[in-house]
Amino acid sequence: QKNLSILSPQQIELGKMLLELGQVHLFEHWPDPGLDDDDKKALLDQVLVLNSSYPGGLSSYIKTAKELLADSKAGKNPFDGFTPSVPSGEILTFGDDNFIQYEEMGVKQAQNAAFVLVAGGLGERLGYNGIKVALPMETTTGTCFLQHYIESILSLSEASFKQAPGECRKDVPLVIMTSDDTHERTLQLLEAHNYFGMKPTQVKLLKQEKVACLADNDARLALDPNNKYRIQTKPHGHGDVHALLYSSGLLKEWKDTGLRWVVFFQDTNGLLFKAIPAALGVSATKEYHVNSLAVPRKAKEAIGGITKLTHTDGREMVINVEYNQLDPLLRATGHPDGDVNCETGYSPYPGNINQLILELGPYIDELSKTGGAIKEFVNPKYKDSTKTEFKSSTRLECMMQDYPKTLSPSARVGFTVTDTWLAYAPVKNNPEDAAKVPKGNPYHSATSGEMAIYRANSMILKEAGVKVDDPVTQVFNGQEVEVWSRIVWKPKWAVTFNDVKSKVSGNNSVSQKSTLVIKGRDICIEDLELDGALIVDSVDDAEVKVGGSVCNKGWSVERIDKDSTELPEEVRIRGFKIIKTEQVQQFYDEPGKFTLKP
Ligand code: UGB
């Protein structure tokens, strides 16, 4: 009461609201007016932000929190009444006719897609100090994830435009969801590199706000342990992307310019764009409102399973069920063995890799009803089995893949499975944790992420008829990985398998110790025998034929110690570095036809 005189009318209203919501503890310690007045006002300014950035405001947040905390305390099963079954979707095999047809169809769609990168996470598990999108995807060229994503989107839309020359060219939009942890550095990265070739107007950053932490089962907001005039906040999860897109007005803008698809993707999967064209083709052919990209999943593997859930009341949904919930759910619903492999050697429930393609029209219809709010969950760590106290504060969270939870049963929700080697190699785990991953399970580290790029490119060239040597097995940072030839190409060289096949002819071979970097657009490989390092670049109007025998000392992959502090962190977390000893390197900087035959 005595502090009212120092507050503005708006701050007083917010304070009253908090009192009504049972949050008196936020003010109990306030001293008399004249002491810490600026801090008191700052707290209410923060409340204003927390209130306005959450759909329905803090009263809605606290109400939902009370309900979810009560459910959690009571041990309520979120799947009560639901029976799981295997949903229907498309299972693709790289390189066969079906795959190629979907890719061609998907490329046509790409001009009508908007791309959304969720990049608000700091990546505590990776333990890297920078933002994850700035990490090199591979260290042969040093291309960072963001550059690769942008170049992939530009190349895909260029290829798409070429397939539909009658249409007017669109600047395919890219939205990046950031957070306080990543926003400034993402912007700086883009500005320092001229948006990696995109027009700055094509790229929009939407910043997600954190949400208030909860101190107990009564959903009392937690004060920051280091500042009694600040509410502790934590990230709300990638599910925020839907509400942010909706409130930004961008969805309507996209619809008006004739876009049809929204492609969501995560921050560190360097393989993703190899699966996007085919998956877009599946979306268009099957008219999926929601298409989740997935990979074959070994039973009990630590990725969620895409599952059809049917409720006794008739409700149905196709949704990701996190791996720790799938096994108990199956056991409780008549599958005594739980989550087990079927005759294919894999779980019948495809593994969610959290890349989604949504059809824009139905997406807007749904968000007009929900405002983009996604079903939340809470995951408190209790002090003991009485579940009355938390070890540390908790908060509500939401996941972008839970979007289908509110859809009506008539919504067309499906999935597209592609080979893991083609589509999924995220960089999420630090070297110490990755080294503890049981043998045979994916490391999801910077080491495995980079090796997966070389493997995928080698496998694609092999499928296109190039003789690529088998890999050797090596151990870096305690992780056993296959080291394939370091083959890397820019997205403008090829976005589909047909593109690769059209640029490779004759008898080609690449030895295991080799490095092949293709940077130019019209570079054809014909009768090349490579045993060393070859780097070819060209301006867009140059046509270059590369062949003959290239033999040199090349670039090698040398083991390093993860604790060698003289090396930058982005190198240390891989456990190896590329030593560039000798190479053939050629840049064709003028239009024309050229042949490189050393
Ligand atoms: N992210 C945000 O943008 N904001 C946030 O508040 C949090 C994250 P993580 P997670 O690929 O194997 C997901 O932390 O959430 C961004 C799926 O839920 O890397 O543990 C962040 O920047 C899971 O089902 O992953 O697990 C990053 O780009 C499974 O598919 C993205 O969200 C798993 O990914 C994912 O964040 C997986």
Side-chain angles (χ1 to χ4, degrees):
Q1 279 296 330
K2 46 191 180 190
N3 275 292
L4 289 179
S5 58
I6 62 158
L7 301 175
S8 70
Q10 191 189 29
Q11 289 173 328
I12 293 173
E13 278 313 304
L14 286 168
K16 276 191 191 157
M17 177 191 78
L18 286 173
L19 293 181
E20 280 161 21
L21 292 168
Q23 306 292 333
V24 64
H25 66 286
L26 297 176
F27 311 107
E28 275 168 349
H29 56 280
W30 279 22
D32 287 344
L35 285 171
D36 297 348
D37 287 351
D38 287 345
D39 294 328
K40 295 171 193 162
K41 289 182 206 165
L43 175 83
L44 285 155
D45 286 345
Q46 188 201 7
V47 170
L48 181 63
V49 174
L50 292 171
N51 192 45
S52 58
S53 59
Y54 184 82
L58 272 174
S59 62
S60 168
Y61 182 76
I62 290 169
K63 180 169 171 281
T64 310
K66 281 185 181 161
E67 287 165 11
L68 290 174
L69 285 165
D71 287 352
S72 169
K73 188 170 181 227
K76 190 171 163 197
N77 174 5
F79 299 105
D80 222 12
F82 283 106
T83 309
S85 60
V86 181
S88 67
E90 189 67 28
I91 299 177
L92 303 180
T93 305
F94 177 78
D96 72 5
D97 289 347
N98 190 41
F99 183 89
I100 289 172
Q101 273 170 20
Y102 277 131
E103 272 205 324
E104 295 308 300
M105 163 82 83
V107 167
K108 290 200 188 108
Q109 299 295 325
Q111 268 246 93
N112 295 323
F115 291 83
V116 179
L117 166 61
V118 287
L122 199 50
E124 277 97 350
R125 272 183 289 160
L126 182 62
Y128 173 60
N129 278 314
I131 51 168
K132 289 193 283 173
V133 290
L135 266 180
M137 186 177 98
E138 37 78 18
T139 48
T140 294
T141 66
T143 305
C144 72
F145 282 103
L146 190 54
Q147 175 173 4
H148 174 72
Y149 292 151
I150 289 182
E151 290 180 353
S152 297
I153 293 167
L154 289 172
S155 304
L156 201 50
S157 83
E158 182 65 29
S160 186
F161 177 67
K162 280 196 183 142
Q163 298 232 7
E167 286 191 17
C168 78
R169 187 186 285 264
K170 294 191 192 95
D171 287 333
V172 169
L174 168 65
V175 165
I176 307 177
M177 182 170 80
T178 57
S179 66
D180 276 330
D181 295 329
T182 62
H183 187 84
E184 282 310 314
R185 284 178 287 176
T186 307
L187 194 58
Q188 278 163 12
L189 180 67
L190 286 164
E191 285 175 347
H193 295 90
N194 292 323
Y195 287 72
F196 296 111
M198 260 192 180
K199 293 180 189 159
T201 48
Q202 264 174 287
V203 187
K204 294 260 181 324
L205 268 54
L206 299 179
K207 185 161 78 78
Q208 63 175 149
E209 295 297 336
K210 290 184 179 162
V211 286
C213 289
L214 307 157
D216 56 28
N217 283 327
D218 294 326
R220 294 191 326 149
L221 302 183
L223 283 170
D224 190 326
N226 301 315
N227 182 350
K228 59 184 178 179
Y229 296 106
R230 198 160 173 84
I231 295 169
Q232 197 182 14
T233 58
K234 283 188 183 165
H236 189 220
H238 35 73
D240 278 348
V241 72
H242 301 293
L244 276 176
L245 278 176
Y246 182 67
S247 61
S248 71
L250 283 168
L251 300 177
K252 287 241 154 57
E253 225 175 79
W254 293 346
K255 186 112 206 299
D256 293 344
T257 53
L259 298 190
R260 187 173 168 204
W261 307 106
V262 190
V263 179
F264 293 85
F265 60 109
Q266 305 194 136
D267 50 18
T268 59
N269 182 8
L271 295 180
L272 170 74
F273 276 87
K274 296 188 188 297
I276 289 289
L280 264 173
V282 172
S283 276
T285 310
K286 305 219 157 192
E287 297 180 331
Y288 280 155
H289 297 171
V290 179
N291 183 6
S292 294
L293 269 70
V295 293
R297 173 181 176 280
K298 286 276 183 199
K300 303 194 177 61
E301 193 180 325
I303 54 175
I306 310 241
T307 311
K308 181 173 176 179
L309 296 177
T310 310
H311 199 272
T312 42
D313 65 11
R315 272 179 295 151
E316 267 183 14
M317 56 179 152
V318 176
I319 199 79
N320 172 58
V321 176
E322 286 300 342
Y323 68 95
N324 54 341
Q325 297 174 321
L326 184 58
D327 186 72
L329 173 64
L330 286 165
R331 285 178 196 277
T333 50
H335 306 84
D337 297 331
D339 181 17
V340 282
N341 293 328
C342 63
E343 64 284 356
T344 58
Y346 288 94
S347 158
Y349 299 92
N352 167 48
I353 62 168
N354 230 22
Q355 328 280 343
L356 307 172
I357 301 179
L358 304 188
E359 186 171 2
L360 181 58
Y363 183 47
I364 294 181
D365 293 344
E366 178 66 11
L367 263 48
S368 309
K369 291 183 232 149
T370 63
I374 296 298
K375 288 247 178 269
E376 293 160 304
F377 62 95
V378 70
N379 190 13
K381 306 276 180 293
Y382 297 107
K383 270 197 179 148
D384 57 39
S385 58
T386 62
K387 294 190 174 178
T388 44
E389 279 182 78
F390 305 160
K391 280 188 191 156
S392 59
S393 67
T394 186
R395 83 289 196 182
L396 299 190
E397 294 177 74
C398 62
M399 302 193 287
M400 76 171 169
Q401 67 268 34
D402 280 346
Y403 163 74
K405 282 194 171 164
T406 54
L407 293 178
S408 76
S410 60
R412 300 173 67 89
V413 184
F415 60 82
T416 304
V417 177
T418 54
D419 308 273
T420 308
W421 65 261
L422 181 75
Y424 191 53
V427 176
K428 293 191 187 232
N429 291 327
N430 61 53
E432 290 75 20
D433 290 343
K436 287 184 214 143
V437 167
K439 204 170 168 204
N441 282 16
Y443 298 118
H444 292 170
S445 65
T447 314
S448 61
E450 173 157 358
M451 289 302 163
I453 306 288
Y454 305 138
R455 177 173 192 232
N457 289 339
S458 295
M459 305 265 282
I460 292 171
L461 282 196
K462 264 169 83 118
E463 190 73 27
V466 177
K467 186 184 160 301
V468 180
D469 274 359
D470 286 341
V472 296
T473 300
Q474 279 187 274
V475 177
F476 302 113
N477 280 355
Q479 304 153 55
E480 191 177 286
V481 288
E482 284 183 354
V483 183
W484 290 74
S485 316
R486 273 68 65 211
I487 299 173
V488 183
W489 58 76
K490 286 264 183 200
K492 68 176 163 185
W493 185 68
V495 291
T496 63
F497 185 46
N498 266 353
D499 290 344
V500 174
K501 285 200 293 185
S502 70
K503 289 175 175 172
V504 173
S505 60
N507 283 323
N508 297 291
S509 66
V510 180
S511 70
Q512 190 278 331
K513 75 161 214 203
S514 292
T515 296
L516 174 62
V517 180
I518 309 171
K519 293 186 172 175
R521 194 175 65 190
D522 286 321
I523 292 174
C524 286
I525 310 288
E526 191 178 308
D527 296 325
L528 172 71
E529 190 186 335
L530 177 61
D531 185 32
L534 172 63
I535 293 92
V536 199
D537 194 358
S538 63
V539 293
D540 283 352
D541 299 327
E543 276 177 42
V544 185
K545 199 169 270 184
V546 180
S549 170
V550 178
C551 183
N552 55 49
K553 292 195 183 112
W555 296 0
S556 56
V557 180
E558 300 290 328
R559 185 176 303 122
I560 54 150
D561 182 355
K562 70 173 166 32
D563 300 320
S564 39
T565 43
E566 73 282 3
L567 291 168
E569 192 183 8
E570 55 269 27
V571 176
R572 273 186 279 139
I573 56 175
R574 287 159 217 271
F576 61 83
K577 68 176 181 180
I578 308 279
I579 306 286
K580 303 182 176 178
T581 309
E582 196 186 6
Q583 68 280 322
V584 169
Q585 184 155 9
Q586 197 70 42
F587 175 44
Y588 297 90
D589 58 357
E590 284 173 16
K593 293 193 175 201
F594 306 92
T595 302
L596 172 66
K597 232 176 196 168

